[in-house]
Structures are given as structure tokens and as C-alpha cells.
Amino acid sequence: MTAGCMPDDLHAKIGQTIMIGFPGRRESDPGVKAIRAQLQEGTVGGVVLFPDNISSKAQLKALIAALRETRSDLPPFIAVDQEGGAVQRLRTRKGFGWFPSAALVGKNPSLDSQEIAEAIYAEMATELAELGFNMNLGPVVDINTNPNNPVIGARGRSFGSDPDTVAPIAAAFINAHHAANVATVAKHFPGHGSSAVDSHRKLADISHSWQNLELEPYRRLALQGLLDAVMIGHLYHPRFSDLERLPASLSAKAVDALRASDGIGFDGVVMSDDLEMGAIRDAFTPEEAAVRAIKSGTDIVVFSNIERGDLNFGTRIHHALAVAVCDGRIGTARIEEAYRRIVRLKEQLKTKTLPRAW
């Protein structure tokens, strides 16, 4: 870490803005030892788990317990993508429950009432909580305006083609998770449903396909006080991008649209989508992406670290952010602001006070 340019408490606050993936499944694995040390030292503030980290319920529960016990003051976010359908990191062949896709829930008359949807997602949330997870990187609140969209519509990840379908089921998803004391992350702002390409592969240009109605689920969930965190997608639209071809995930315009009182009016945690996806990786180093995202107003930067499996990747990102604070590219106030939001959500988890509403 950069020595002498900032107080230790600011280093700790920078650490809270980093969520990272890691290799390994057991406490004795080098990757798990490394990430536990980074959590304990405050180098990173959260982790995201992927299928490679998971072999069985007993193994996963032990792994998460080892991660959570690293901090008692600010417990780490232990996150996973568990949407149902095509995106389930906890797979049935490894002994976990099966859950229908968002599309199936949204279009099936026997499943799409809020009460039935909440019952489905209560099972999901209960399983997550029993394993030790405290954050689910869902629900997807994208409107399915392009059914051929390779990453949303074609994979059944949207609840439906209009906000009147999407918003109530998303509320049921969030309510169920809150009842189990699991935080949620609505995604992918400002809306991935109309895209024609997969942002895992390259930047998704939604300049001519995006519609204003794609903001409506965020508005409704914010009005109900249900948004814990919002994930910004690697999407290009002039309204949400600071420069031509710059993703919303690295742009202050996108965060401003979320924060503005005449926009969504959201004051919770803003997260990036995985900053190692093709849309970002092709144009920026991980360090550049992290600095740009935090500077633009994002509170937590997410790196999957799947392909590289770098045991010191969290330290590397922390160092890049610390240097950017030291040389003035990121203001101290920006770190303090992010820290305040992150701590507020972690305190809600500690005190089991995540809100519930219809």
C-alpha cells in the first residue's frame, strides 16, 4: 500500500469499496487464506462467490463461515448471483435448490402474484442465509423490450416486458430476501433489456433502443424504500455516459441519474457490474476501471477475478485507489461518502433492520 500519504482509517475506508472474487474452496487453500487476510486487514470489504468456489452445502457453509469470522466490526459482504433459471451459482447437481427463471415467474399466471413470487424467493433467500450469504446480486429489473437480447431476454432473466410486471415481482424478491436478512442489488441500471449484444463480450450500445420506461422499476422500488443497492451496467447511452463510448458504469452521469431527486432519488449503495467483463477489459486496465468508477460516484467496484485467479488482486486494486486519492484524482470526500453508504447497509444487516414494504 502507499505509505505515508493518508491516515490508516482512510485506507480502511478505501477497502470497503472493493468486492472481489477469489480462487479456492477450503480454508487451507492459498486463495482462501489470501482473501481472509485481505478481509481481516481491511484491504477489501466484500467477496463474490462463483461456481468454482462451490462443491457442496457443507463445504460452502464452512467456507463462508471462515470468511465471515474475519471481521466483527464491519462484517464483509458475502455475495452471489442467485437469480433463478439460467443464472444460479448454487446448482442442483451440487445439492442446492432449483428456482424458476424470472421469465417463468413473470409470465406464469400461477406464479406471478406477489404472494406466490415472495414464497418462491423466500425459499431462495432462506437457503442463502442458512449458508451464510448476506447479499444476493439480484433481482434483475431490466424490462424485456428485446426478447432476442442474448444476455437478458434470451436467457429468461427479465420478469417481463413492462414495469407493471417487473416492479411488483422485484419487490416480492426483495421482501423475501429482507425477511431472511439478505441484502439485494437491483440490476442493470439504466436498463440492459433492449441491448443487442452481451456486455460480458463487448460494450452494449443502447443509444437507439433504450426507453424511459426502463427507469420505472427503480423509481417504484425506491419509493417503497426497498432498494439496498443498484448495479450499473456496462452500457452506452449519451444520457448516462460522460464521453462517447464510455460505459455508464464508469460515468458520473449514470450515478447522478440515480441520485437526483427528479430522477430515482436513490441514496443507497451503487455498485459496478464486474469490471473484468469484455465491455471494460477491452479498453481499460483493472486499475483504470476501478479509479474511474469510484471517481464517478460508484461506491463498490466489483471484480470477478475468475480467469486471472490472482491471490493479490484485492491488494492491487486497493493500491490503485489509494494512489488516486493521494494524487488527487479521487477526492477524500468521495471515499467518505461511499463508506457512509456501505456502513449504513452493513449496519442494517448487523441489526436485522432491512426494510420491508409493498
Side-chain angles (χ1 to χ4, degrees), residues 1 9 22 34 40 59 66 68 86 96 103 107 115 129 152 161 203 220 223 234 245 256 273 298 326 342 344 353:
M1 289 185 195
D9 71 324
F22 60 94
Q40 200 146 22
Q59 168 271 326
R68 289 187 69 152
F96 301 98
K107 71 185 179 186
E115 292 81 4
I152 304 297
S161 57
L203 180 65
R220 295 187 193 182
L223 281 171
H234 306 319
R245 305 297 296 169
D256 290 346
D273 205 343
T298 292
C326 286
I342 293 163
R344 185 173 60 195
T353 53

Side-chain angles (χ1 to χ4, degrees), residues 139-143 152 185-193 199 204 206 210-219 222 227 229-237 239-241 247-260 263-266 269-273 298:
V140 170
V141 298
D142 297 320
I143 307 288
I152 304 297
V185 183
K187 60 189 186 185
H188 308 80
F189 188 85
H192 209 324
S199 57
I206 55 171
W210 185 86
Q211 300 172 45
N212 200 54
L213 62 81
E214 296 181 60
L215 297 179
E216 194 59 28
Y218 296 98
R219 286 199 187 97
L227 288 179
V230 172
M231 180 180 287
I232 300 184
H234 306 319
L235 309 164
Y236 173 70
H237 189 291
R239 178 170 164 181
F240 304 102
S241 299
S249 52
L250 303 182
S251 299
K253 272 188 181 179
V255 180
D256 290 346
L258 266 172
R259 301 287 188 216
I264 308 301
F266 174 62
V269 173
V270 171
M271 296 174 63
S272 75
D273 205 343
T298 292

Side-chain angles (χ1 to χ4, degrees), residues 42-103:
T43 305
V44 302
V47 295
V48 55
L49 274 68
F50 292 94
D52 284 352
N53 300 118
I54 301 163
S55 58
S56 70
K57 276 192 174 183
Q59 168 271 326
L60 182 56
K61 198 166 184 176
L63 172 61
I64 293 175
L67 297 171
R68 289 187 69 152
E69 71 184 14
T70 55
R71 293 286 292 266
S72 57
D73 55 337
L74 277 177
F77 287 132
I78 312 289
V80 68
D81 285 285
Q82 186 74 348
E83 299 171 13
V87 181
Q88 292 188 97
R89 306 303 191 203
L90 311 182
R91 295 173 176 169
T92 52
R93 61 185 173 80
K94 294 181 180 179
F96 301 98
W98 175 88
F99 298 97
S101 68

